[in-house]
Amino acid sequence: YVEGDDPRTVDWNVTARVGRPFIKRFVEERERTLVFVLDLSPSMAGGLGAWSLRQAAARYCAMLGMVASDNHDRVGLVIGGAPRPRYVVPQAGGGHVLRVLRDCVELPCADLSSQPDSTNLGDLITTVNARVRRRSVVFVLSDFLTPGYEHALRLSARHHDVVCVRLVPRELVDPPGRML
């Protein structure tokens, strides 16, 4: 107990037993689920800056995944670019977060010539709606260039907390002086 502590948090049983004041420490117990929805369309592979949009999305997932691991939260992933969306079941632990990050970095981007509909963002969000039953925080990481995701996003926002992260290449935001 130090001066300024709330007197309501004094543990009177321990104080009477030991002979000096002790306060109760409360630790929030939560089990939150984070699900990353990563768009691997061909436009996510490009960029003239230091990082491509995909690398920036992987770094964003790494940052939030490590924070979730420190808080003992579960982390899952829905990733596009394959013939169908790939789903990684949300689990807790640092090893699982590293597995999610490995998938973010190593899975190939979609090839527009062979699979034109493989990176439909609406399908990725629909996969989250169908697979994730608990209320979760869903991070959608994309450049949002593909149309037709709005309805699935609205449905997902009814059940989950949805955070959309629009990744824009640096050259579109702040073009170099020579390109003006």
Side-chain angles (χ1 to χ4, degrees):
Y1 180 80
V2 295
E3 186 177 336
D5 283 341
D6 190 4
R8 293 177 288 181
T9 60
V10 173
D11 191 348
W12 294 108
N13 292 330
V14 176
T15 301
R17 192 172 48 236
V18 177
R20 58 188 176 117
F22 276 84
I23 63 166
K24 298 176 194 173
R25 300 247 184 231
F26 297 99
V27 178
E28 179 185 1
E29 293 183 18
R30 65 176 192 179
E31 289 188 6
R32 200 166 275 172
T33 302
L34 273 69
V35 179
F36 299 117
V37 177
L38 182 58
D39 180 18
L40 289 185
S41 61
S43 61
M44 293 286 286
L48 297 176
W51 303 334
S52 68
L53 296 182
R54 180 188 176 152
Q55 290 170 331
R59 289 172 190 256
Y60 194 86
C61 290
M63 174 189 62
L64 289 175
M66 289 303 169
V67 169
S69 176
D70 289 343
N71 290 324
H72 306 288
D73 294 336
R74 288 182 298 278
V75 177
L77 175 71
V78 176
I79 193 165
R84 64 182 201 281
R86 182 172 180 170
Y87 175 68
V88 178
V89 178
Q91 294 179 1
H96 183 71
V97 171
L98 291 175
R99 186 227 169 173
V100 166
L101 295 178
R102 184 194 68 208
D103 286 349
C104 289
V105 173
E106 288 184 356
L107 286 178
C109 279
D111 184 13
L112 195 58
S113 61
S114 64
Q115 302 163 348
D117 290 335
S118 64
T119 58
N120 186 0
L121 189 57
D123 290 344
L124 299 177
I125 298 169
T126 302
T127 301
V128 171
N129 296 339
R131 293 276 187 97
V132 180
R133 295 289 176 207
R134 301 181 84 183
R135 185 167 182 85
S136 304
V137 180
V138 178
F139 288 92
V140 182
L141 301 152
S142 176
D143 51 7
F144 294 99
L145 295 179
T146 58
Y149 60 86
E150 294 87 2
H151 180 67
L153 198 59
R154 261 188 248 113
L155 288 177
S156 184
R158 287 183 186 170
H159 186 65
H160 304 292
D161 295 329
V162 179
V163 178
C164 295
V165 180
R166 183 173 181 220
L167 302 168
V168 180
R170 183 174 174 212
E171 58 270 12
L172 294 180
V173 176
D174 187 24
R178 286 182 237 127
M179 294 182 74
L180 295 177

